[in-house]
Each structure stands twice: as structure tokens, then as C-alpha cells.
Amino acid sequence: MRKSLLFLTSSDVQNPDADFSDYLLHELFKRMTDEYDVTCLTPAFFGGRDVESIGGVTYIRRGTSGSFLWHVFCQIRSRPEAFVFLANIPFLEYLFQWGPVPHARFLTRSSTYPMASPSQTSFVFHPSVLTAESAQTDQPFVRLPEGLDLLSPESAWLEKEKRPTFVYVSRPSQPKELFDARQAFIAVYQEFPEVQLWIIGHCPTRFDSLIPETMRPHLHYLGDMEPAARNRYISRATALLVPSREDNWGMIVYEAARVGTPAIVYETPGLCDAVQYGMTGYLAKINHPGGLAAEMRSCLLDQTTYQMLRYAAHQFSTTKHHHDLEPHFREWLRTQL
């Protein structure tokens, strides 16, 4: 008999505010459907269906952030046989830690999990790394490899745009990043008037009215697209902009490196590792649009360094190419269930 997995998440892949980790989780969930019945319960959002099957995963959307707790317990009562996984919902995690749900496990985007009981087995999720925590091991945290092969099976290098082109993959949950990318683009445009900026993904805020009219044709909103199409655009760009101040989003840096595009990043945990502190990409000296613009200027002016970093980034990404998150997650499920 197939076992049932019930994932509780604060958003899902179709949510307008979905971020990269939601896409990674979905890719992970759908790969488990050959062995398990997988359901994901998430708060509803405007325009979303109440029940929807995506890639074999059943998404059930109920309530709001305030009423979601009630729907969670109703769902659990109706499916007592399912193993429950909570993804980054701290209040629910606290309740489940002390509540009568012995088969609950935890997914979180933090590298540590302070609320875990010494007798509780949990699973720590992060957008670029997985760490398994178990009281049965001598080492409570076991680092698992990055899951690059989940989202980017293609690694072909495409010809670069003839114009200097920077690309930013938008995250609606981090509007400050888009603001920084725009400000850096404006600064670089003053010296390189042929430069253009591609913005991929859902973009709730457009800045057309806030930039000079002469610059507007150089700013392109490309909208949402599948990972394969997204990577083709990234491959054609000069560099990827990742102005993240708050969290580790290193996976997109590796994805870009695999298709021949180095990244310009802020100095934040995870992103520093993804560019090896400037040895496989560009690391801004300050986490400010001015620091981002300075590195954009560098990659346009110094072609020797640019080509060196481009190939160094690719070589570094291939060291993770053979590590696939799926079998490790599947094996962890079998040990837990």
C-alpha cells in the first residue's frame, strides 16, 4: 500500500509570491509521486483553485494565514495515516512539537532548528542545501548535496547578446532586490548607454515612470517562464544580478554558471560560497546598488577577468553537477517512514 505524504507550506508554486524555494520544493514533491501519494496543503490566494493537481502533486488551498491552522487540523483528522511535513511555518511547528502528531516532521529554510526536541527527528530544508537532523546519529546534522540536477538538466552555452545585458530573476517577496537592480542599471547606463536589463519572473512593481524615457526601451520585463526557457535567457546575458541581503539563494548562481554566465552578488551567507568570495563570480564590496554597479562595470571593462570568472564559475558548478537531491531525500523518507 502506498504511503501518504502531507506537506504543509506557507505558499505554493502557483502563488504570485512564490520564491525559488517553493519551486525547488515542488520539483522535489513531484518526484516522490511514483512511490507516495503526495498532497500539499497551503493557504489560498486570489485566483488560485481550491484543489489542483500539478505534476502529480495534489494542492489543496484553504483559508488565509490567519485561518490556516483550522484547516490544517481538519485535514490531519481526515488523513490520520499520512505523514505530515511542515515547511517553514514556525507557529504550526511549535504546536506540532508538543501536539499529538507523532508522525510529524519538519522542513525549514534555516541551517539550524532551535525548537527540535532531542528525541525528535527533523529534516532541515534550505533553498540550496539539505541537512538531516537525527538524534540517532553521533553528528546531529548531516549535510546533503545541492540539488542542481532537479531544475536544470540543460547546460548548453548560448551565444551572448551583442549588447551588454544583465538579467535579474525577480522574487516578489523581496522587492528591495528589484529596486537595487534597477538603481544599479541606471548607474551603469550613464557610462554604457547600450546596456540593457532583463527582468524574469512575476514583477508586481514596474519602474517605467521612475526612469528617464530614453532608458525605458532598455528595460525588459520578460514575465514568468519555465526553468529551461529562463536558463536560455540567462545563458545569453552578460551576467546575472543577485542583490540579496537576507538569505542564501546560491542555487540560481550555480544554475547560471552551468550555462556560461557568471553572477554578481551581495556579500551574504551562501552567496559568498556560491562565488567563492570572488574567485568564481563577482562579489560586491558593499551591499548597495553602488557596489552592484561597480561590479557590473568591471565585467564590461575587463574582458580577461570576465572570461576567467566565467569558466571558473562553470568549473565550480560542475563539482556539484553529479549530486542530485532526489535520491537523498527519497532515502531519508524511507528511513523515517
Side-chain angles (χ1 to χ4, degrees), residues 53-302:
S53 178
I54 307 174
V57 180
T58 301
Y59 281 88
I60 301 176
R61 305 183 179 104
R62 295 287 186 270
T64 63
S65 56
S67 62
F68 187 54
L69 177 62
W70 167 254
H71 295 283
V72 165
F73 285 109
C74 289
Q75 187 70 18
I76 289 174
R77 282 201 302 269
S78 68
R79 302 180 49 147
E81 80 289 351
F83 277 79
V84 181
F85 298 83
L86 297 94
N88 203 41
I89 311 178
F91 181 65
L92 280 179
E93 290 171 357
Y94 179 80
L95 290 180
F96 275 68
Q97 186 70 37
W98 305 105
V101 188
H103 49 279
R105 299 292 185 266
F106 302 91
L107 306 177
T108 175
R109 299 172 190 174
S110 172
S111 58
T112 59
Y113 188 66
M115 292 190 299
S117 164
S119 62
Q120 181 84 29
T121 299
S122 62
F123 190 70
V124 181
F125 169 78
H126 192 274
S128 64
V129 298
L130 287 171
T131 305
E133 179 187 346
S134 174
Q136 283 70 44
T137 61
D138 295 332
Q139 296 179 340
F141 292 96
V142 179
R143 186 182 177 98
L144 300 180
E146 290 87 347
L148 293 179
D149 294 335
L150 281 177
L151 297 182
S152 180
E154 298 181 3
S155 58
W157 292 27
L158 302 181
E159 184 179 354
K160 295 294 183 186
E161 291 288 300
K162 300 195 181 305
R163 299 168 56 186
T165 302
F166 296 94
V167 59
Y168 168 68
V169 180
S170 176
R171 296 195 295 169
S173 61
Q174 301 293 334
K176 180 62 175 171
E177 294 181 11
L178 181 57
F179 175 82
D180 284 11
R182 183 205 70 167
Q183 291 298 97
F185 164 68
I186 292 175
V188 172
Y189 178 85
Q190 308 308 315
E191 185 174 355
F192 302 92
E194 72 278 15
V195 73
Q196 62 180 344
L197 175 64
W198 290 341
I199 298 174
I200 296 176
H202 179 68
C203 185
T205 304
R206 295 173 67 100
F207 296 108
D208 301 54
S209 62
L210 302 178
I211 63 175
E213 187 173 353
T214 56
M215 294 177 59
R216 294 175 193 171
H218 300 253
L219 187 63
H220 304 278
Y221 298 91
L222 303 179
D224 294 317
M225 57 183 66
E226 292 296 319
R230 179 199 67 198
N231 287 346
R232 286 194 289 271
Y233 274 96
I234 292 176
S235 183
R236 289 161 48 196
T238 306
L240 170 74
L241 305 181
V242 191
S244 173
R245 288 183 171 88
E246 300 179 4
D247 55 48
N248 176 338
W249 206 39
M251 186 73 75
I252 191 65
V253 176
Y254 296 133
E255 298 284 359
R258 287 179 61 181
V259 294
T261 300
I264 304 174
V265 309
Y266 278 171
E267 188 173 356
T268 54
L271 294 180
C272 291
D273 294 334
V275 299
Q276 290 291 281
Y277 290 86
M279 293 188 294
T280 60
Y282 296 87
L283 184 63
K285 304 300 187 295
I286 55 173
N287 293 351
H288 181 274
L292 195 67
E295 300 305 317
M296 293 165 68
R297 183 177 182 276
S298 294
C299 78
L300 296 180
L301 291 176
D302 189 346

